[in-house]
Structures are given as structure tokens and as C-alpha cells.
Amino acid sequence: QGEKFTVYGNQIILSAGAVASPQLLMLSGIGPADQLTSLGIDVVKDNPGVGANLRDHPIMSALWTVKEGHIQDPGAPRTQVAARYTATGSEIRNDMKLSFNSFAIADSRIEDRLSESSQSHHADINTPIGVKISVSLQLAESVGHLRLVSSDINEQPELNFNYYSTEFDLERGREGMRKAINLGESNHFSDIISQRLQPTDVDLSNDHKLDDWILRNATTGQHISGTCKMGPDSDELAVVNQFGDVRGTTNLKVIDASIMPDCIRANTNATTMMIAERMIDLI
Ligand SMILES: Cc1cc2nc3c(=O)[nH]c(=O)nc-3n(C[C@H](O)[C@H](O)[C@H](O)COP(=O)(O)OP(=O)(O)OC[C@H]3O[C@@H](n4cnc5c(N)ncnc54)[C@H](O)[C@@H]3O)c2cc1C
């Protein structure tokens, strides 16, 4: 506990994930020189790409209460069906996903809204407040960034996801949310669905209001990636090459979700494992 020691190796492989890998590189002096210098960290290698390419699958949900008599079993699988499709006018195949969740629970924002309208609720994973359809942007145009706020490893870096910051992303988000609501309120679900809790009819009344709602409600799809991205030397934001070697260093690799150049159009776990398998084959 609290002991400090030095470990030597011929080949160092950093696999701390898309938040901690860029943080550890920066704490070790590899990252954007201006950021490191401002925190008193000696620059070993100036690389503006470390932390610069924060990617994710932003997600937001339409939420309904259920009709009396509709039983919601806390032990049953909650998300078993998803619809993948290509947004209108998009050239990116399968860039959208709708996930159907049969057991929605309150998060803090929903809790706040329900308490404003004095509806009863319980923020508990075994107490449903309804059902939801989540809209997830599978290949966003918007890019965020991760920045160190301190040279202390125990201080979490700042994550600015910058979700829905381009018109194309907003267009796809609006269409996705409207599709989710049309599906949820179609005859197919009329035996289940009672009243929509979010977004409200006012939120949906025009594009501007819906954009505002999206910007307040889009959150992480838990697929953080891209913060030490792989790329050719010609890309000044590339952090590692095709072997995972950190540019401008020797015997140092990063192998985890942070090296994805963009967030893949699927959940990220299996691909991260396959990246690791492939990289190890190449050593
Ligand atoms: C809540 C949640 C749900 C998810 N659900 C799914 C899903 O259903 N399907 C799917 O495909 N993906 C899912 N993901 C995404 C998936 O888990 C990640 O993409 C994947 O784990 C990334 O692997 P990684 O090796 O990059 O990072 P991680 O799995 O995060 O591994 C990094 C490891 O490094 C360790 N570490 C960090 N810093 C240090 C340090 N200083 N010293 C020592 N160790 C350190 C961490 O403790 C961690 O064990 C989910 C993610 C979250 C957060």
C-alpha cells in the first residue's frame, strides 16, 4: 500500500482502457506539449493526438409507462431486440441502432423530472418505471476530447464528449428519436404502452426543441474509444502505428479500445479482444 517501485521490461504494453491509457501516457510526458507543460509535466514526446479523439456511441431514450396489468419481471433479460438501420441520406451503412428495453429504471434526470411532476417513483434497479426504446448513434461525426486536469494520477481526467455537435449527427438523432416514438406508439405495443414520459410532445414539436432535448439527454453508450488512435505517420493525431507502437518512442505499445481510430459500429468488447489477439500475434 503506497509503496513506489520501478518495473523494467523489454516491451511495455499499456492496456489501461480509453480513459486511463491516455492519462498514463500524458502523466509520463507523452501527449500535447502545451497541456503537459501547463501542468508541470516534463515533455518526453509532443503528441497532440493523445486524448484528442474521444469517441463513443451517444445514446438517448424514449420512455413510456406501462398499462396496468402488464407484468415486468426484474429477473427477465431486459434488452433482447435491436433494430439497426441506415439513416436517411447517410452513406454510412447501419449508422443507427434502436434498442428495446422491457424494464426501464429511473436515472437521476428522469427522477428529477418525475419529482417535478410529483409522480411517484423509486430509483432502484428492481423497480421499473416503464419501458424504453434507446436511440444510439453508431458512427458519430462529433468528436470529443480527454484532458488532464492534474499531474496527480488520482485526479480523473476531464472528458468532454461533445455529443451531437454537428448538424448531420443531430439530423440522424432527430430521425432516430421520431422513429423510436412511432414504433413505440404503433399498434404492436398498444397492449403494453400507456403514457410517454420523455421526450414530451413539446420537446417533439419542432426540430429546434428536439435538438435542445437531445443535447440535454444524450449520454454515454459506454463505448469510449479512440483516445490513442492508430494511424499513419501522415496523421498528426495518430498515437500508435499498425503494431500498436507509440509514435516517437521505442518498446512501448498501447493495446486496448483507445487505439480504435473511430468507435466501431457495434459494442466494443469483442473487437477490443480481437485487437489484442492480433497485436500479440505481431510481436
Ligand atoms: C457499464 C459498461 C457496460 C458495457 N457493456 C458492454 C457490452 O454489453 N458489450 C460490449 O461489447 N461492450 C460493453 N462495454 C464496453 C467494453 O467493456 C469496453 O469496450 C472494453 O472493456 C474495453 O476494453 P479495454 O481493454 O480497452 O479497457 P478495460 O476493459 O477498461 O480495461 C482496462 C483495465 O485497466 C485497469 N487499469 C486502469 N488504470 C490502471 C492503473 N493505473 N493501474 C493498473 N490497472 C489499471 C482497469 O482497472 C481495467 O481493468 C461496456 C462498458 C461499460 C463501462
Side-chain angles (χ1 to χ4, degrees), residues 31-43:
D34 52 348
Q35 212 187 120
L36 303 186
T37 310
S38 71
L39 294 169
I41 299 169
D42 292 337
V43 178

Side-chain angles (χ1 to χ4, degrees), residues 15-17 20 24 222-223 256-257 267-269 272:
S15 301
L24 286 169
Q222 314 282 10
H223 296 154
D256 57 27
N267 290 9
T268 41
N269 202 37
T272 307

